[in-house]
Amino acid sequence: MILTGLTAALAAATVAGLALGSVPIPPSHVLDILTGRAEPSPFRTIVLDVRLPRVILGATVGAGLAVIGTVLQALVRNPLADPFLLGVSSGASVGAVSAIVLGGVFGLGAALSTAVTVPAASFAGALISLALVYALARSGGGGFATGRLILAGVAVSYILSALTSLILVTADSADQLKEVLYWTLGGLGGARWDMLALPCAVLTAGTLLLVALARPLDLLLVGEEGATVLGLDTARFRAAVFVLASLLTGVLVAYSGAIGFVGLLVPHAARMLVGAAHRPLLPVAALLGAVFLVVADLAARTVAAPQDIPVGVLTALTGGPFFLWLLRGSHRHEGVAA
C-alpha cells in the first residue's frame, strides 16, 4: 500500500511538474501530450523537450541521494550521515568542475566531457573524499564516534568547497565560470534527453544491488561485534559499499550538482513508514526521494517565476533546520548514555 501510494504521489508530482511553471499548461492538456493525442504546438515542445527531461532527472537524483543516504547511515551507524554532510557531494563537485576546466584547457569536446570525463572525475572525487572522512572518523578501536564523523565531514567539505572556489577563481572563460557555479549551487535546469541514460541506468543497477545486500546492511545495525559474530566481514563489506555509494553519488552529482540534505531528510521519513529493515526501506526511500526532489524543483521554478532558483538552495533551507534538530537529539542521547 505504501509503495502504491508513493507511486501515485510521484505520478501526481510529475504531472504538476509538467503543468506548472512560468508558462502554465492545463493538466488535461499535459496528459494529451504525454499520450500523443495533442497536436504539435509550443506547449508540446515545452512539456516534452524542456520539462519532462528535468522531471525525470529530478526523480532520478532524488531517488539516488535518498538511497545513498539510507545506506551511509547504516554503514556508519549514524543518523546524521548523508552524502552532503560527509563531504561526498563536495568531492564529486570538485572532480566535476576540475574536469570541466581541464576539458576546456585541453580542448576536449563538450559531448565527450559530458559523457565520460565529468562523471569519471566526479566518481573519483566522491570516492577520495569519502575515504578521507572514513579514515579521519575512525576511533582508536576501529569504530566510529558521532562527533568525529560529523567534524571530519564538515572539515573535508570546507576544504573541498575552498578548492572549488579556487577553481572558480582561476576559470579562464565566462562559460566555464557559469558551469562551475552550476555545480556549486545544484540544479536541474540543464537536463536534456541525451544525458538521462547513464544516471538512470546507474541508479537502477545500484539500487537493485543494494536491495540484494539488505541482510548484511541489517546486520550492521546490531553493531560491529554483533555483525562479525554473525559472519559478516564488516571491513570488506563497508569498503565495497563505500565504493558503490561513491559511484552513485559521483554520477548523480555530475549531472545535477551538489544538492544537499535529500539523503538526510528522506531516510528518516522512510523509516517512519516501514521501519529499519532495508529490503522494504530502500524502495520506499527511493520513491520518497524522487517525490521530494520533483516537488522541490517545482517550487524552485515557481516561487520566484520567471526566475529559476537552484533547487539546492531550497533543499538546504529545508534540511538545515532538520539537521540541527537531529544534532540536538543526538547530543541529548549521548548525554543520557554518559
Side-chain angles (χ1 to χ4, degrees):
M1 291 178 60
I2 292 174
L3 290 174
T4 302
L6 288 175
T7 302
L10 180 58
T14 298
V15 173
L18 298 177
L20 301 177
S22 56
V23 179
I25 303 173
S28 59
H29 192 44
V30 169
L31 294 176
D32 289 339
I33 292 173
L34 294 177
T35 55
R37 293 180 295 179
E39 297 293 331
S41 66
F43 286 163
R44 189 173 185 272
T45 301
I46 291 173
V47 170
L48 295 182
D49 295 336
V50 179
R51 293 181 182 173
L52 186 55
R54 180 166 181 161
V55 169
I56 293 175
L57 182 61
T60 302
V61 173
L65 293 177
V67 167
I68 296 164
T70 302
V71 170
L72 288 180
Q73 289 170 12
L75 288 178
V76 301
R77 298 179 59 225
N78 191 322
L80 302 178
D82 96 317
F84 189 77
L85 292 176
L86 294 185
V88 186
S89 295
S90 298
S93 294
V94 170
V97 299
S98 299
I100 291 170
V101 173
L102 292 177
V105 171
F106 292 105
L108 296 177
L112 177 63
S113 178
T114 300
V116 180
T117 58
V118 171
S122 184
F123 164 62
L127 182 60
I128 292 171
S129 63
L130 184 57
L132 181 59
V133 172
Y134 176 85
L136 292 174
R138 289 180 67 89
S139 65
F144 288 94
T146 298
R148 290 176 63 87
L149 182 72
I150 299 303
L151 288 175
V154 170
V156 171
S157 293
Y158 271 117
I159 294 172
L160 295 175
S161 296
L163 185 57
T164 302
S165 299
L166 178 62
I167 297 172
L168 179 64
V169 170
T170 56
D172 293 330
S173 67
D175 290 339
Q176 289 181 353
L177 182 64
K178 183 178 180 180
E179 288 190 71
V180 171
L181 282 173
Y182 168 78
W183 299 114
T184 58
L185 295 176
L188 306 171
R192 302 186 310 272
W193 281 111
D194 60 355
M195 58 190 292
L196 296 178
L198 181 59
C200 289
V202 170
L203 171 66
T204 301
T207 302
L208 290 175
L209 181 56
L210 289 170
V211 170
L213 297 174
R215 183 179 180 277
L217 288 171
D218 290 341
L219 291 180
L220 287 177
L221 298 178
V222 304
E224 191 95 12
E225 295 182 0
T228 303
V229 169
L230 292 172
L232 179 64
D233 186 341
T234 56
R236 181 175 298 181
F237 178 73
R238 270 204 182 98
V241 179
F242 274 151
V243 172
L244 179 58
S246 299
L247 173 61
L248 286 170
T249 304
V251 170
L252 297 176
V253 169
Y255 290 97
S256 68
I259 299 175
F261 294 104
V262 178
L264 176 66
L265 288 166
V266 175
H268 290 278
R271 289 190 191 95
M272 293 178 184
L273 294 175
V274 295
H278 285 85
R279 190 171 298 278
L281 177 62
L282 289 172
V284 169
L287 283 172
L288 200 57
V291 173
F292 175 78
L293 197 56
V294 169
V295 172
D297 185 57
L298 174 60
R301 290 191 285 114
T302 57
V303 69
Q307 186 176 358
D308 192 347
I309 300 174
V311 68
V313 175
L314 290 187
T315 59
L317 290 174
T318 304
F322 182 74
F323 170 69
L324 293 175
W325 177 74
L326 281 178
L327 190 62
R328 181 181 179 185
S330 176
H331 285 168
R332 183 181 302 156
H333 177 72
E334 290 176 357
V336 171

